[in-house]
Amino acid sequence: MSMRVSGNNSFNYENMYQMMRTLQASRTANASRMNQGQAVAPINRVPRVNSGSVQYSDTLKYVQSYGKSMADVKLNASRLQEGNRSGVFSAVSMQSEDSSVAKVDKTFRPREGTEIGVEVQSLAQAQQNRGQSLVASEKAAEGSGMDFEVTSARGRSIRVDVSDKMADGTQKTNEQMVQEAAQQINSSRGLGVQASVAKEDGKISLVLTSEKTGESNGFSVQGQMGAAAGVETSTVQGQNAQYTVTQNGRSTNRSSESNQISLDYGRIDATLTGTGKTEIKAGTDNDEVVSAVKDLVDSYNNATDLLRTNASRGRGSKLQYESFSRGLADEKTLNAVGLSYDKSGKLQMDETALRKALTDDFEGTKELLGGQHGIADRVSQRVDTATATSSGSLVDQDISMRMDRSQESVFSSFRYLAGFAGSGPYSLGNYYTVGLMLNTLG
């Protein structure tokens, strides 16, 4: 096996190699004695460190938390960097310019450059029938019992039979009668009609509504209405949505029983929300941008807090805390994208201001957030510097003040590893190779 060794770490490597040879020789000798029936001399092993005298697990936990915290900040910063193909500024999504006319629900592999005009003439509506208004607490009029049938357009029906008297012969109230009629209708599964009781200023009325919108999902009411008089007549007619779609210079009139529609050959699911015109275009999802900025702010503040509470552990931690505490940009630049610092020095985001910036000047906001030398880029550079800081310098005060000599030896191997890693991949490979061989010999 051929291994390259960095000059700066050759001494450590030679020591480890000599230890390996010593262990191998001892093992060979023991094997020979065993074959000859002789007593086997024990192999000298490195003594275990007794960590009972000093607690240093918190130091190791801090180093682990430091690495995870920096990784989180780096990941959130990369989501906002313009050059990241999987970032929020590179993802293609469909957006409606006027969500009061139509809003996009889902997209399936949207195509760049897609532009679709939607003009809504009328929304789809469900049929609704409303009965007369009665004083809820008054006794029902004599002979106001109900005996009528509700039939859906699909042929399903239910008979409603409500007497105006209780079992003991006393007169029911108007509310009792209307509530009983609604319960009977709602007990029928698959009818496609829902009953409710409208209440206003002490008065009530029976309301029937088709479960689905559209002309073909209506219903009829026939029979003796009694206290529900008027419910046999539609107050709102069921109707289909009427809208026009313009794409690639071609306009098509369409009708839909539902306000949930499909566009661009099934690539876009949308909901019609009102009459008027809107443009649905391929672009960046502002919700994703806002979410990414929030995640970056949260992770950056968490990393800063971690550094602040552990700055006394080592020179590296103190330097990184000072770095993360410095402003990411001048106040005017931060405010332009809805960012600022609070009184305690924490970064904070104004969602309303950020959304306004994305709407008013998307390209400029994108450049400030994710462009070269933008806020995300500056954060990423700080993280790169932080991750390049050796773990030894992060906790050198802990090591010098809390560790006795035996515990110092525990951390020496980590220092050697840091030295190998810093001198290149070949040296790091040597370190792991020797470790694997020692494990084999152990």
Side-chain angles (χ1 to χ4, degrees):
M1 179 186 299
S2 175
M3 294 186 292
R4 292 178 56 178
V5 182
S6 170
N8 293 335
N9 298 294
S10 60
F11 178 73
N12 293 332
Y13 169 76
E14 289 296 335
N15 284 344
M16 294 180 70
Y17 182 66
Q18 290 302 325
M19 181 187 295
M20 181 188 71
R21 294 192 61 181
T22 301
L23 288 171
Q24 178 63 46
S26 178
R27 188 172 186 178
T28 302
N30 283 342
S32 177
R33 291 189 184 96
M34 288 180 67
N35 292 334
Q36 297 174 14
Q38 299 177 13
V40 177
I43 298 175
N44 292 328
R45 298 184 182 274
V46 179
R48 292 181 178 272
V49 176
N50 181 7
S51 59
S53 59
V54 177
Q55 292 291 332
Y56 57 89
S57 60
D58 59 332
T59 300
L60 297 178
K61 287 180 180 178
Y62 163 60
V63 174
Q64 292 172 342
S65 298
Y66 178 92
K68 181 180 183 303
S69 180
M70 293 303 162
D72 288 344
V73 180
K74 181 73 173 180
L75 176 63
N76 290 325
S78 69
R79 288 178 61 201
L80 285 163
Q81 289 180 297
E82 208 173 330
N84 181 7
R85 291 185 177 180
S86 59
V88 294
F89 289 120
S90 298
V92 177
S93 65
M94 303 303 298
Q95 299 292 310
S96 173
E97 290 186 345
D98 189 347
S99 59
S100 68
V101 175
K103 63 184 183 70
V104 175
D105 298 321
K106 292 181 181 179
T107 57
F108 307 90
R109 298 182 179 179
R111 299 174 298 177
E112 291 186 18
T114 299
E115 293 188 12
I116 303 172
V118 178
E119 181 179 0
V120 182
Q121 290 86 33
S122 62
L123 293 176
Q125 291 187 139
Q127 179 182 334
Q128 186 177 93
N129 294 16
R130 189 182 185 109
Q132 65 181 335
S133 182
L134 301 170
V135 177
S137 58
E138 286 186 354
K139 295 293 184 181
E142 289 286 344
S144 61
M146 308 175 201
D147 185 8
F148 61 87
E149 192 170 65
V150 180
T151 305
S152 71
R154 301 183 185 279
R156 290 181 176 272
S157 64
I158 183 173
R159 181 184 175 188
V160 179
D161 187 4
V162 180
S163 172
D164 61 346
K165 288 182 173 55
M166 305 284 284
D168 60 3
T170 59
Q171 203 72 8
K172 294 178 181 177
T173 65
N174 290 323
E175 183 169 11
Q176 287 175 324
M177 293 191 67
V178 172
Q179 290 284 7
E180 189 175 338
Q183 290 172 2
Q184 288 185 24
I185 295 170
N186 290 334
S187 67
S188 177
R189 295 183 179 180
L191 179 63
V193 180
Q194 283 292 314
S196 61
V197 178
K199 295 183 179 182
E200 186 176 358
D201 298 330
K203 294 185 176 183
I204 60 170
S205 57
L206 180 64
V207 180
L208 304 184
T209 307
S210 57
E211 292 179 347
K212 295 182 179 181
T213 58
E215 297 171 359
S216 67
N217 292 308
F219 58 91
S220 62
V221 182
Q222 293 179 332
Q224 182 181 331
M225 298 298 107
V231 80
E232 70 277 15
T233 304
S234 299
T235 51
V236 177
Q237 290 288 339
Q239 67 179 29
N240 293 349
Q242 304 294 334
Y243 60 102
T244 303
V245 176
T246 302
Q247 186 173 5
N248 300 324
R250 181 180 178 182
S251 296
T252 306
N253 294 325
R254 298 183 183 179
S255 177
S256 171
E257 289 190 339
S258 169
N259 289 314
Q260 281 70 49
I261 63 171
S262 178
L263 300 169
D264 196 24
Y265 305 101
R267 293 187 179 90
I268 303 170
D269 285 346
T271 299
L272 304 180
T273 54
T275 58
K277 296 180 180 181
T278 187
E279 290 286 331
I280 295 177
K281 298 180 180 180
T284 301
D285 188 342
N286 287 352
D287 289 340
E288 289 293 322
V289 176
V290 171
S291 176
V293 174
K294 184 181 184 300
D295 290 343
L296 178 61
V297 168
D298 290 344
S299 62
Y300 190 87
N301 285 335
N302 291 338
T304 306
D305 286 343
L306 179 69
L307 291 167
R308 175 179 55 79
T309 56
N310 293 277
S312 61
R313 291 187 182 275
R315 291 170 299 150
S317 294
K318 183 175 183 295
L319 288 173
Q320 293 313 311
Y321 171 58
E322 292 171 352
S323 171
F324 271 65
S325 298
R326 288 194 291 271
L328 288 168
D330 60 78
E331 184 178 359
K332 183 178 179 181
T333 299
L334 290 174
N335 290 343
V337 293
L339 297 177
S340 62
Y341 286 96
D342 62 17
K343 293 181 180 179
S344 65
K346 280 192 173 184
L347 196 61
Q348 59 184 0
M349 182 191 80
D350 183 337
E351 182 174 335
T352 302
L354 175 56
R355 287 187 181 278
K356 186 176 186 305
L358 290 167
T359 301
D360 295 347
D361 183 10
F362 179 83
E363 291 299 326
T365 303
K366 180 173 72 171
E367 186 64 24
L368 289 176
L369 284 172
Q372 188 176 17
H373 308 304
I375 291 172
D377 193 39
R378 296 177 190 182
V379 171
S380 184
Q381 289 177 16
R382 287 187 184 181
V383 173
D384 289 342
T385 301
T387 53
T389 301
S390 70
S391 57
S393 70
L394 291 174
V395 293
D396 56 11
Q397 291 298 314
D398 275 12
I399 294 174
S400 63
M401 295 176 64
R402 301 183 185 182
M403 309 300 175
D404 58 28
R405 287 185 175 274
S406 62
Q407 290 169 339
E408 173 73 19
S409 67
V410 174
F411 285 89
S412 64
S413 61
F414 293 106
R415 289 201 185 93
Y416 293 159
L417 177 58
F420 275 105
S423 61
Y426 288 103
S427 296
L428 186 60
N430 290 342
Y431 192 91
Y432 282 122
T433 300
V434 172
L436 288 171
M437 295 180 72
L438 287 173
N439 288 338
T440 302
L441 293 171

